[in-house]
Amino acid sequence: MNMSLGNNIKKYRKEQGLTQEQLAEMLCVTSQAVSKWESENGLPDTAQIVPLAKALNVSTDALFGFAGSSYDKKLADEIVWKAHEIRDTGDPAEGAKNSADFLDEKCEEDIFNYRILMRYVQAVAHMSRFVNYNGLFAGDDAQWQKYVKLAVNRGAQVIRYSDEKDLVENCHYALAWLYWHEKDFAKGREHLDALPSVKNNMLQETINSYYDSMEGSEDDNPDYEAWRVSVRSNTQNFVRAINKQLLYSAESSMWTFPIEFSEPNDLWVISVMEKFMENDEMKAYCQGYYRDSVKYLMGVYLRNGQAEKAAELWNGLVQKMDDYVRFCEKINAMDKAEVIKKFGEKAAENMQHYTKDFAESKKQFILNQLKGWFDGDAWQAFEKLI
């Protein structure tokens, strides 16, 4: 990110198609003054900053180099995948902490890479469940509060300065969870209220495929390939949203169900996801949600002392994960451009990383979590069955 005010003035002036003389006239200063600003031989008066930003059609934050998306996205993606690997290695609570520490280090190395900052906020929000329910940082709340403060500060930085809507919303979402765990509901609500909602059903996905099919087309003839790609992308987004809600339903069942729980209702969750996965283009948007939903439903059975049913779910999950590994191997043997065209960039990236080793690490992570929750007679019986 360019932190030079002079360079930024020059950059945004040229983007607006303005000469130094034209900008100077708009601000009632001399062209020599503008030239000095751009060459770093002088600075605008503080009273000129807001008019200057308006003349250049940018925010004052952008003028000083705090906004924009000019960071290394490829590096951020590599760091995020590494953080996932660290999180899912060994004990889940320690993995969550180690992942956050790794991201903290990377944030310090690249303080304006908003994607890494956002992931740090998410990592601390994820870690909060282990603080609340697994005794992480027990007796050392001051250490935990350092993570909270850093996550809040970095989240605020992304929310204020990033011009990428998804990063901003991800930070609001993570901070809403973090404040919920901290029982600071007033602050959490501020972030919750900043998030979009499906309540009124007036979503961009329900109409943007119509725009995508016509914008740039000739003679008012729809671009049917653009239409197909847009519909696929919209459906993937809906599937992700539904799967997340179904996952939370499964988690709720594990922690709140009565002994006489509704088995058909809970198994319905994974049956819906299995139906989604019958469509190859949706598979990548189901795997993680399906895996964790089955984990929680296994937890329901273990909590109920039904090791046999938990083992049956586990064996089915292992089969699904192994099938998906083979599916990804087949897809990844195709030309990468063709994969992106058929499945979308995000799905292509997911499938590229879903290797046999990755799947095995996820299986071990699930078993470690379940053992931590239900290490008793039911768990011992379960271990003998798998």
Side-chain angles (χ1 to χ4, degrees):
M1 175 169 294
N2 189 350
M3 295 297 292
S4 164
L5 176 59
N7 283 335
N8 288 339
I9 293 172
K10 184 176 181 179
K11 170 180 178 290
Y12 292 125
R13 174 179 61 78
K14 288 187 173 182
E15 285 182 0
Q16 292 297 310
L18 297 172
T19 65
Q20 290 182 340
E21 290 76 12
Q22 288 170 325
L23 179 59
E25 185 177 347
M26 295 170 70
L27 299 171
C28 299
V29 298
T30 66
S31 58
Q32 288 82 2
V34 174
S35 177
K36 284 183 179 180
W37 299 343
E38 294 185 356
S39 61
E40 302 290 335
N41 290 320
L43 293 172
D45 293 334
T46 55
Q48 292 171 320
I49 294 300
V50 172
L52 177 59
K54 288 183 177 179
L56 296 174
N57 196 30
V58 296
S59 67
T60 54
D61 291 336
L63 195 59
F64 283 97
F66 290 114
S69 54
S70 55
Y71 58 83
D72 191 336
K73 291 183 174 64
K74 183 177 180 182
L75 172 65
D77 289 340
E78 291 172 355
I79 288 171
V80 167
W81 278 103
K82 179 63 178 178
H84 285 332
E85 290 178 9
I86 294 171
R87 184 193 66 189
D88 295 346
T89 301
D91 176 74
E94 284 301 314
K97 178 181 178 299
N98 292 339
S99 179
D101 289 341
F102 168 75
L103 286 167
D104 178 36
E105 177 184 327
K106 296 304 176 183
C107 287
E108 289 298 318
E109 292 176 2
D110 195 349
I111 62 173
F112 294 112
N113 193 315
Y114 294 135
R115 193 168 295 273
I116 301 175
L117 266 62
M118 179 272 291
R119 288 296 184 175
Y120 177 80
V121 180
Q122 289 184 324
V124 175
H126 172 71
M127 185 165 52
S128 64
R129 67 179 61 197
F130 299 104
V131 175
N132 285 87
Y133 306 125
N134 295 72
L136 187 64
F137 301 116
D140 192 1
D141 186 62
Q143 185 182 4
W144 165 238
Q145 290 305 317
K146 289 180 181 178
Y147 285 94
V148 174
K149 183 177 180 180
L150 201 51
V152 169
N153 289 341
R154 284 175 173 160
Q157 183 178 347
V158 174
I159 290 168
R160 180 178 179 186
Y161 296 126
S162 176
D163 60 3
E164 292 184 79
K165 187 178 179 183
D166 64 323
L167 300 188
V168 171
E169 290 178 351
N170 285 343
C171 280
H172 279 304
Y173 189 87
L175 290 172
W177 272 119
L178 183 58
Y179 279 123
W180 182 83
H181 281 288
E182 289 293 286
K183 296 183 171 56
D184 192 340
F185 304 120
K187 287 183 180 177
R189 278 284 178 188
E190 293 176 9
H191 293 283
L192 193 61
D193 292 342
L195 292 169
S197 171
V198 299
K199 284 186 294 187
N200 66 6
N201 199 31
M202 300 300 162
L203 302 173
Q204 61 175 269
E205 283 82 2
T206 61
I207 193 171
N208 69 1
S209 57
Y210 293 87
Y211 276 77
D212 290 342
S213 68
M214 295 299 293
E215 287 179 329
S217 64
E218 297 179 2
D219 302 324
D220 291 331
N221 291 319
D223 182 341
Y224 289 110
E225 176 60 18
W227 177 290
R228 185 194 71 79
V229 169
S230 183
V231 169
R232 180 206 65 209
S233 177
N234 295 337
T235 306
Q236 288 172 333
N237 287 334
F238 279 121
V239 164
R240 290 174 67 211
I242 293 169
N243 281 344
K244 178 170 280 191
Q245 189 58 42
L246 293 174
L247 168 61
Y248 290 158
S249 173
E251 183 178 18
S252 174
S253 290
M254 188 180 80
W255 294 117
T256 66
F257 76 95
I259 294 300
E260 298 296 329
F261 73 100
S262 175
E263 185 175 46
N265 258 4
D266 291 318
L267 294 180
W268 171 82
V269 166
I270 59 175
S271 71
V272 172
M273 294 186 187
E274 287 172 346
K275 195 66 181 176
F276 286 149
M277 286 190 286
E278 290 180 9
N279 184 319
D280 286 353
E281 293 177 351
M282 301 302 125
K283 287 181 186 291
Y285 293 85
C286 297
Q287 297 303 313
Y289 298 110
Y290 182 82
R291 183 176 64 237
D292 286 344
S293 295
V294 172
K295 172 185 69 180
Y296 289 128
L297 296 179
M298 288 166 59
V300 171
Y301 285 130
L302 290 173
R303 191 175 178 189
N304 241 351
Q306 296 175 288
E308 297 85 356
K309 289 193 172 183
E312 183 179 343
L313 273 181
W314 171 254
N315 291 331
L317 174 61
V318 168
Q319 183 63 54
K320 278 280 194 301
M321 293 176 72
D322 291 345
D323 287 345
Y324 188 57
V325 168
R326 287 188 287 271
F327 174 79
C328 291
E329 288 174 345
K330 177 182 174 183
I331 297 301
N332 291 331
M334 296 167 53
D335 177 71
K336 187 175 181 180
E338 286 299 313
V339 175
I340 293 174
K341 181 179 178 182
K342 177 173 175 54
F343 297 96
E345 193 166 353
K346 189 174 290 186
E349 182 183 13
N350 175 288
M351 291 185 286
Q352 183 181 4
H353 286 89
Y354 207 100
T355 62
K356 183 177 180 180
D357 287 344
F358 178 83
E360 291 304 317
S361 72
K362 290 293 185 183
K363 292 174 190 176
Q364 191 58 53
F365 181 74
I366 290 172
L367 293 177
N368 289 342
Q369 271 198 312
L370 288 171
K371 184 176 182 180
W373 292 333
F374 306 105
D375 192 7
D377 293 341
W379 174 258
Q380 292 171 15
F382 169 76
E383 277 193 307
K384 293 177 181 177
L385 294 169
I386 63 173

